[in-house]
Amino acid sequence: MAAARARSGERRAEILRAALEVIAERGYRGATLGAVAERVGLTQQGLLHYFPTKEALLVAVLEERDQWDTGGGTREGWRLDLLGSLVDYNAMRPGIVQTFSALLGESVTEGHPARAFFTRRYAQVREEMASVLRAEYGDRLPGGLTPEQAAPLLTAVMDGLQYQWLLDPESVDMPAAFRDFLGLLGAR
Amino acid sequence: MAAARARSGERRAEILRAALEVIAERGYRGATLGAVAERVGLTQQGLLHYFPTKEALLVAVLEERDQWDTGGGTREGWRLDLLGSLVDYNAMRPGIVQTFSALLGESVTEGHPARAFFTRRYAQVREEMASVLRAEYGDRLPGGLTPEQAAPLLTAVMDGLQYQWLLDPESVDMPAAFRDFLGLLGAR
DNA sequence: ATTATCTATAGATCTATAGATAATGC
DNA sequence: ATTATCTATAGATCTATAGATAATGC
């Protein structure tokens, strides 16, 4: 069959895309291998040929998502004014934001396979944020905080706004609110 | 049996406590009626005598939790300096925070029974926060934002810090970080 | 009578394993 | 040979319904 001509790498990418959608809709625990398989025209058992367990599929989704989040590059090179644009960009991708937010919420439950991933990720994001802030402002921001104090707040605002926005996009202007916060950090 | 002497109201309260624990550990979708029942020494079918469906149990948990969150009273009467204490208090109740955070995360998925609850709740919390801020500062906070601009940020910081703290309590001093943020809002 | 619980069980799912079959690449 | 898929199926669960039994409150 012509469709079967797709190389293995493409098939895996298709599956990851489908998994991202299904997780956005139902979370990881609520997602089923069957639902993901159906979206790519495979049986559930056919899908297990590419990812041997449901957990392996989640891990692959997380690894890919972490790259997307940084726009392909590292967060290392970021500048503060790019953060606002990142939030603009996220506001155009509700599906991705929803996958991420659903997984973050689930990850605090016991034995969740994404827990270690998120713990590690946040430690890293806080460090990178602090370093971006230090590059911009030095050891003390105009608002009075140190980069290390501001970093967890910056991260918290991004995540917290995402939930409010996902639940009620009409009422919450996520990018504007985030810029308000950036203004607060940088106001002298 | 002596244990059977507990009145129906007490039994329901026991079940709600157990449900809160199980949801903290596994989320709503991951929680099973059997696990909740076991904790109160009932069979799964016995539990369904008190709450006819799993969803009815969740709704009851949410209603009770919303009261706890306000410390028993309304949020209406709050003053800004009490918010810091609320976060101190939350830092002593990781189980409750975890239940709440797990449900919030799940609630953005499709058809989740807590979704309407959270949407309503956040609209209300933003209004109440704005009104607290207006009572304290008038139409413009020292940091330069209006109460309506600051309210979603305040809410976002609380929620976002909770996730970072649940994932890594050693690395995140949630109450201190929240006070840093309050300082930012109120700094002239 | 009503309330509290239990046993039995139907009816749905879900993940993962086993093993067959067909196509692809040497 | 290896890769891609499929059918069959084992083995676990899970929610919810039906109906019995025992205790409680009039």
Side-chain angles (χ1 to χ4, degrees):
Chain A
M1 277 138 248
R5 209 148 306 281
R7 281 166 309 118
S8 180
E10 287 173 28
R11 204 49 152 156
R12 284 177 62 100
E14 269 185 81
I15 293 170
L16 288 175
R17 250 194 309 280
L20 203 85
E21 286 174 22
V22 173
I23 292 172
E25 288 165 17
R26 313 275 308 167
Y28 170 69
R29 287 211 166 97
T32 67
L33 294 174
V36 177
E38 196 182 15
R39 268 176 222 224
V40 295
L42 274 178
T43 61
Q44 173 249 327
Q45 298 90 330
L47 187 153
L48 285 172
H49 174 66
Y50 294 91
F51 300 93
T53 66
K54 188 182 174 185
E55 191 169 327
L57 177 58
L58 175 64
V59 168
V61 166
L62 288 173
E63 280 165 1
E64 191 158 285
R65 155 74 204 188
D66 204 40
Q67 294 177 5
W68 294 346
D69 188 49
T70 60
T74 343
R75 273 181 293 262
E76 290 296 350
W78 280 6
R79 293 228 326 281
L80 191 57
D81 52 307
L82 286 183
L83 287 179
S85 321
L86 175 62
V87 175
D88 292 339
Y89 182 44
N90 281 340
M92 292 161 50
R93 307 181 299 173
I96 305 278
V97 173
Q98 187 163 321
T99 304
F100 182 81
S101 300
L103 285 176
L104 173 59
E106 272 186 327
S107 77
V108 305
T109 61
E110 278 164 35
H112 195 283
R115 174 153 198 155
F117 173 86
F118 277 108
T119 303
R120 227 179 299 119
R121 181 178 183 281
Y122 276 105
Q124 191 190 337
V125 168
R126 281 190 299 267
E127 272 183 39
E128 288 166 356
M129 291 288 182
S131 120
V132 168
L133 290 166
R134 174 162 281 113
E136 181 98 4
Y137 294 119
D139 290 340
R140 184 72 62 173
L141 315 209
L145 301 183
T146 64
E148 281 68 29
Q149 286 177 307
L153 295 179
L154 198 51
T155 312
V157 168
M158 287 183 85
D159 292 337
L161 284 177
Q162 285 181 357
Y163 286 108
Q164 291 182 57
W165 173 71
L166 286 171
L167 288 169
D168 195 353
E170 305 291 303
S171 306
V172 178
D173 185 341
M174 178 168 73
F178 186 69
R179 289 208 159 80
D180 289 343
F181 176 71
L182 287 181
L184 219 47
L185 287 180
R188 62 252 70 176
Chain B
M1 274 138 251
R5 210 149 305 284
R7 281 164 309 119
S8 179
E10 287 173 28
R11 203 49 153 156
R12 284 178 62 100
E14 268 184 81
I15 293 170
L16 289 176
R17 251 193 307 281
L20 203 85
E21 286 173 21
V22 173
I23 292 171
E25 289 165 16
R26 312 276 307 166
Y28 169 69
R29 288 211 166 96
T32 68
L33 294 174
V36 177
E38 196 183 14
R39 267 174 223 225
V40 295
L42 275 178
T43 60
Q44 173 249 325
Q45 299 92 329
L47 188 153
L48 285 171
H49 174 65
Y50 294 91
F51 300 94
T53 66
K54 188 182 174 185
E55 190 169 326
L57 176 58
L58 174 65
V59 169
V61 166
L62 288 172
E63 281 166 0
E64 192 159 286
R65 154 74 205 188
D66 205 37
Q67 294 175 6
W68 294 345
D69 188 50
T70 59
T74 343
R75 272 179 294 258
E76 291 295 349
W78 280 5
R79 293 225 329 280
L80 190 58
D81 52 306
L82 286 182
L83 287 179
S85 320
L86 175 62
V87 175
D88 292 340
Y89 183 44
N90 282 339
M92 292 161 50
R93 306 181 300 173
I96 304 279
V97 172
Q98 188 163 319
T99 305
F100 182 80
S101 300
L103 285 176
L104 172 59
E106 272 186 325
S107 77
V108 305
T109 61
E110 276 163 36
H112 194 282
R115 174 153 196 154
F117 173 87
F118 278 109
T119 303
R120 229 180 297 117
R121 180 178 184 281
Y122 276 105
Q124 191 190 337
V125 168
R126 280 190 299 266
E127 273 184 38
E128 288 166 357
M129 291 289 182
S131 120
V132 167
L133 290 166
R134 175 161 281 111
E136 181 99 3
Y137 294 118
D139 290 338
R140 185 70 62 173
L141 315 209
L145 300 184
T146 64
E148 281 68 29
Q149 286 176 307
L153 296 180
L154 198 51
T155 311
V157 168
M158 287 183 85
D159 293 338
L161 284 177
Q162 285 181 359
Y163 285 107
Q164 292 183 57
W165 174 71
L166 286 171
L167 288 169
D168 195 353
E170 306 291 302
S171 305
V172 178
D173 186 341
M174 177 168 73
F178 186 68
R179 288 205 160 83
D180 288 342
F181 177 70
L182 287 180
L184 219 47
L185 287 181
R188 60 251 66 175

